[in-house]
Amino acid sequence: MRELKDLAGIIGLATWDQETYLPPKAEPARAGQLSTLQGLYHQRLVAPEVGDWLGAWSEKAVSDDERAMARVFARERDRAIRVPADLVRTLAESQGAALTAWRVAREARSFTPFAAPLERLLVLRREQADAIGHGGERYDALLEGYEPGMRTERLMPVLHALRDRLIPLVQALAGWPPGADALAGRRFPAEAQWRFTVELLGRLGFDLEAGRQDRSVHPFTGGTHPTDVRLTTRVVEDNLSAALFGTLHECGHGLYEQGFRESDHRTPLAAAPSMGLHESQSRLWENLVGRSLAFWRAVYPRLQRAFPGELGAVPVEAFHAAINRVARTPVRVEADEVTYNLHIVLRTELELEMLRGNLAVADLPGAWNAMLRELLGIEPPDVVKGVLQDIHWAWGELGYFPTYALGNLYAASLLRAAERALPDLWPAIGSGEVGPLRSWLRTHVHAEGSRLDAEDLVVKVTGSGLTDVDFVAYLRAKYGALSGRNLS
Ligand code: ZN
């Protein structure tokens, strides 16, 4: 297990480098290096003797921790063993072809070049799901890769309940806010932005002696070990929000990675139980804390000092309103907190129907536009801002999108539990002290590692499992207060 963790760490380092500092001419060489390392990881994972050791050890595992470790390890190994090597290879090749076709299609502003490669990926993903095994719903086998324990029949009713509450909420907020964006048309020097994001990391308690921040086109969190957590952010001079919320988001992931128990390091327990739970931590800091008035009452004076010309005359209330504007956009990554999950409902619904064979790839662009109209009442201007906007399907990722919505829902439920446990949570945040919240999350979420499946952990911490109720209550309270409209 330690060898595998070490290999995964080095793969993480090479991947981080690929996205940050790798000279362009080295790209093919790095792709080869990564492929070799991933091959070694796979060989080690599926080696027959590892199965023998795991079997013998599982039988004599005495403590709960040992049992949890064996369970997590065996789950990863079984999944890897079940998919035949030639299918893994064909999938990798087809992903490469689909990615190229997706770029060509975007360039041509036409879905057609992407249709056949996507169809091929669907066929292969169905094969993969059958090889992994499922109880009749192939999507479950793919979902399991990102969200162990989650099932389609558990997920979809929650997403539908969320959709049915969000649609009227979005309608009730139509036309709000009426005024102009207080941040629009301003230029924020890159160096000052960078310094401020590093200061933010320190304020939130990210340990810069056990991690670092760099720049990349698409922000992400990676690294080699809980003592070496690598965040990236994106600095855009005419868009302050990109760096601020990129850093807050990745910092949430980073605090999770730094929060695993030391005794779990180099074991399968030093990991989040699911992508959705990992995302709950990034969204909690980015949105629930990072877009709150309390947080900015404490931090905004520093931001004003960093940008005196741009923000000196903008009051904190106007800044808070600017970072919480609600506007229906066809583009997921530009969406606000209120509309965001409707974009996820759309993608989840469509990929599920494609995988089931109920929706033909040729009909995908039309189905996309129809559903966007139904959910948000808008149309994309073209396929680049429509069905071709995300890279996920070009990678062949099916079952990934729901983890974003799960992150939002789990975040709201976890924060509510923290509020119950810490009555002074918000006054503390309002005076610049996020330590109590961070410590609570560390104890109840981060330190648990992957001992429990995500929803079981959420049940343990909050008393209830996956639900949209806490998230919707949060939206109603926040945007009701901001807009002065009745959202109940
Ligand atoms: Zn994230």
Side-chain angles (χ1 to χ4, degrees):
M1 290 188 299
R2 290 192 171 132
E3 281 179 16
L4 284 166
K5 269 284 182 187
D6 290 347
L7 275 171
I10 299 303
I11 290 170
L13 182 65
T15 309
W16 166 85
D17 177 67
Q18 189 178 36
E19 301 291 326
T20 49
Y21 295 109
L22 189 74
K25 284 186 180 167
E27 277 170 19
R30 178 56 47 87
Q33 291 158 353
L34 274 168
S35 164
T36 297
L37 284 168
Q38 275 149 357
L40 285 174
Y41 183 94
H42 184 82
Q43 277 171 24
R44 202 69 187 127
L45 180 64
V46 304
E49 67 269 25
V50 173
D52 296 341
W53 301 337
L54 186 59
W57 180 57
S58 301
E59 275 166 32
K60 60 177 190 187
V62 280
S63 70
D64 287 350
D65 278 3
E66 283 174 339
R67 273 193 293 275
M69 216 181 278
R71 183 179 62 91
V72 174
F73 188 36
R75 184 150 63 184
E76 183 192 357
R77 190 170 180 277
D78 289 346
R79 213 178 146 81
I81 284 177
R82 287 181 186 191
V83 186
D86 54 340
L87 178 56
V88 173
R89 220 172 7 253
T90 316
L91 256 170
E93 284 160 14
S94 303
Q95 281 160 0
L99 201 57
T100 306
W102 177 73
R103 295 209 169 99
V104 169
R106 280 169 61 91
E107 199 64 41
R109 297 187 177 268
S110 158
F111 179 73
T112 313
F114 184 53
L118 179 60
E119 179 67 52
R120 174 86 184 123
L121 279 175
L122 278 169
V123 169
L124 293 171
R125 285 293 185 204
R126 287 189 197 112
E127 262 180 54
Q128 186 195 24
D130 292 344
I132 291 166
H134 52 82
E137 179 72 82
R138 286 179 172 127
Y139 197 67
D140 284 346
L142 303 182
L143 202 53
E144 180 77 11
Y146 312 108
E147 206 62 32
M150 185 49 67
R151 294 290 174 266
T152 310
E153 62 173 14
R154 170 86 185 105
L155 173 71
M156 293 315 286
V158 177
L159 289 188
H160 289 153
L162 177 63
R163 174 196 63 196
D164 294 344
R165 290 189 174 103
L166 287 181
I167 290 176
L169 199 55
V170 174
Q171 284 164 352
L173 284 167
W176 180 85
D181 184 340
L183 294 177
R186 295 173 197 270
R187 202 185 141 276
F188 300 88
E191 266 319 299
Q193 286 198 46
W194 178 259
R195 280 196 301 274
F196 188 79
T197 60
V198 174
E199 183 185 323
L200 265 185
L201 291 175
R203 276 183 177 271
L204 264 53
F206 181 78
D207 182 356
L208 285 157
E209 306 256 289
R212 51 181 290 131
Q213 180 179 258
D214 295 86
R215 290 170 215 221
S216 71
V217 180
H218 303 287
F220 68 97
T221 297
T224 74
H225 189 267
T227 56
D228 179 19
V229 178
R230 315 252 175 148
L231 317 179
T232 70
T233 196
R234 189 168 71 101
V235 178
V236 186
E237 293 212 319
D238 61 3
N239 179 7
L240 179 62
S241 291
L244 286 188
F245 296 101
T247 290
L248 286 167
H249 182 100
E250 301 309 328
C251 182
H253 284 305
L255 290 172
Y256 200 159
E257 292 289 316
Q258 289 184 338
F260 299 128
R261 277 180 216 168
E262 214 174 308
S263 53
D264 290 342
H265 290 180
R266 294 177 86 208
T267 83
L269 294 182
S274 81
M275 302 290 290
L277 203 67
H278 220 307
E279 194 67 7
S280 78
Q281 299 306 290
S282 56
R283 304 222 171 199
L284 188 148
W285 289 103
E286 176 193 356
N287 293 331
L288 307 187
V289 176
R291 293 181 200 271
S292 71
L293 188 55
F295 178 75
W296 287 106
R297 278 206 193 286
V299 177
Y300 190 64
R302 280 289 308 131
L303 188 67
Q304 281 181 310
R305 277 203 293 281
F307 304 102
E310 295 81 5
L311 295 178
V314 178
V316 65
E317 292 80 8
F319 174 78
H320 180 243
I323 60 173
N324 285 293
R325 294 176 70 85
V326 176
R328 291 171 299 168
T329 160
V331 180
R332 175 182 64 88
V333 297
E334 292 171 5
D336 54 78
E337 282 184 283
V338 182
T339 54
Y340 184 88
N341 292 290
L342 291 172
H343 293 272
I344 301 305
V345 170
L346 177 148
R347 286 152 178 76
T348 305
E349 202 89 63
L350 294 179
E351 64 183 17
L352 178 59
E353 290 305 297
M354 282 195 293
L355 196 73
R356 282 173 171 170
N358 296 341
L359 171 63
V361 167
D363 297 331
L364 177 62
W368 179 288
N369 293 357
M371 197 171 283
L372 190 67
R373 213 160 35 235
E374 183 191 319
L375 296 177
L376 282 164
I378 54 175
E379 297 249 4
D382 59 26
V383 286
V384 175
K385 291 199 167 188
V387 67
L388 294 177
Q389 66 183 268
D390 299 304
I391 200 168
H392 302 58
W393 289 342
W395 273 331
E397 303 270 20
L398 297 166
Y400 190 101
F401 280 122
T403 70
Y404 296 132
L406 292 172
N408 286 322
L409 302 188
Y410 284 149
S413 296
L414 289 170
L415 186 68
R416 184 142 286 208
E419 288 167 349
R420 283 195 298 266
L422 307 169
D424 293 332
L425 177 90
W426 284 107
I429 291 174
S431 60
E433 189 42 73
V434 298
L437 175 59
R438 187 185 61 248
S439 301
W440 187 89
L441 289 168
R442 179 151 292 188
T443 305
H444 296 277
V445 181
H446 308 168
E448 289 289 316
S450 54
R451 283 173 173 75
L452 295 171
D453 278 353
E455 189 172 7
D456 294 336
L457 177 61
V458 173
V459 169
K460 185 180 166 189
V461 179
T462 70
S464 59
L466 178 64
T467 173
D468 66 308
V469 170
D470 297 319
F471 178 73
V472 172
Y474 155 76
L475 288 183
R476 283 184 179 145
K478 174 174 170 177
Y479 289 91
L482 264 168
S483 68
R485 295 185 183 181
N486 180 8
L487 304 179
S488 57

